[in-house]
């Protein structure tokens, strides 16, 4: 049995849909259940439902054999994982956003940036030659420039609705992100048959890892 870590929320729903299509699940986990571990009756896969930021850690630390996680999370964390496939789900973009009229050339000597992606954000501003102060937040990022905590934010954007609702607008796209299927290295050897079957169902071979 493979143990698969999935991020809670919309990406988990899209991931489960893929698993159903490829015959790895016989049905959907009960959406009203509070259980964080789901073992499919087929006995082929066990699902761990965790925070999106934690999926890669569960896989890297061998608590899960594989996981589905956003490219933004992988780049931010620099995890030691096998990255075989872009699943083309969970599409979004990581962008700089600020109050209407604000731009990267607004003239601040040091730009205060609120984000939960400090590494990506710092690298982006340094490459632009802009001095920045990173303010690490874990949620409600859009609030920061509204109350003067930051000049701008770096955060994921899907439709842009949350930005518009808070009188913010995208300034520049840093990167596009989609969900990736990742494996820990030991699973390739300890569960070779299961991993091979899983990869084959996604039209991959071990040589592509």
């Amino acid at each position: 049995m493979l143990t698969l870590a999935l991020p809670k929320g919309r990406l988990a729903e899209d991931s489960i849909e893929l698993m159903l299509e490829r015959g790895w699940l016989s049905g959907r986990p009960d959406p009203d259940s509070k259980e964080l571990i789901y073992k499919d009756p087929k006995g082929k896969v066990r699902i761990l439902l965790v925070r999106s930021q934690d999926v890669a850690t569960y896989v890297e630390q061998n608590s899960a054999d594989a996981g589905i996680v956003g490219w933004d999370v992988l780049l931010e964390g620099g995890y030691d994982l096998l990255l075989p496939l872009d699943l083309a789900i969970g599409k979004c973009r990581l962008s700089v956003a600020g109050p209407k009229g604000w731009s990267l050339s607004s003239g601040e000597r040091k730009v205060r940036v609120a984000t939960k992606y400090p590494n990506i954000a710092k690298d982006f501003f340094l490459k632009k030659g802009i001095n920045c102060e990173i303010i690490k937040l874990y949620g409600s990022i859009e609030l920061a420039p509204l109350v003067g905590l930051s000049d701008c934010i770096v955060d994921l954007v899907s439709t842009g609705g949350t930005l518009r609702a808070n009188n913010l607008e995208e300034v520049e796209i840093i990167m596009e992100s989609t969900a990736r299927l990742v494996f820990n290295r030991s699973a390739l050897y300890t569960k070779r048959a299961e991993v091979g079957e899983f990869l084959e169902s996604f039209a991959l071979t071990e040589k592509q890892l």
Side-chain angles (χ1 to χ4, degrees), residues 135-161:
I135 301 169
K136 179 71 178 289
L137 294 178
Y138 295 92
S140 301
I141 309 295
E142 295 83 3
L143 181 62
L146 303 182
V147 298
L149 179 61
S150 71
D151 300 304
C152 65
I153 65 173
V154 169
D155 201 17
L156 289 181
V157 179
S158 181
T159 65

Side-chain angles (χ1 to χ4, degrees), residues 90-109:
K91 294 181 180 179
C92 56
R93 55 195 180 273
L94 188 64
S95 297
V96 180
K100 292 183 178 179
W102 187 88
S103 72
L104 291 173
S105 57
S106 291
E108 295 94 340
R109 294 182 60 186

Side-chain angles (χ1 to χ4, degrees), residues 5 36 39 54 58 65 96 139 156 187:
L36 299 177
K39 185 181 293 185
D54 294 335
Y58 275 85
D65 303 307
V96 180
L156 289 181

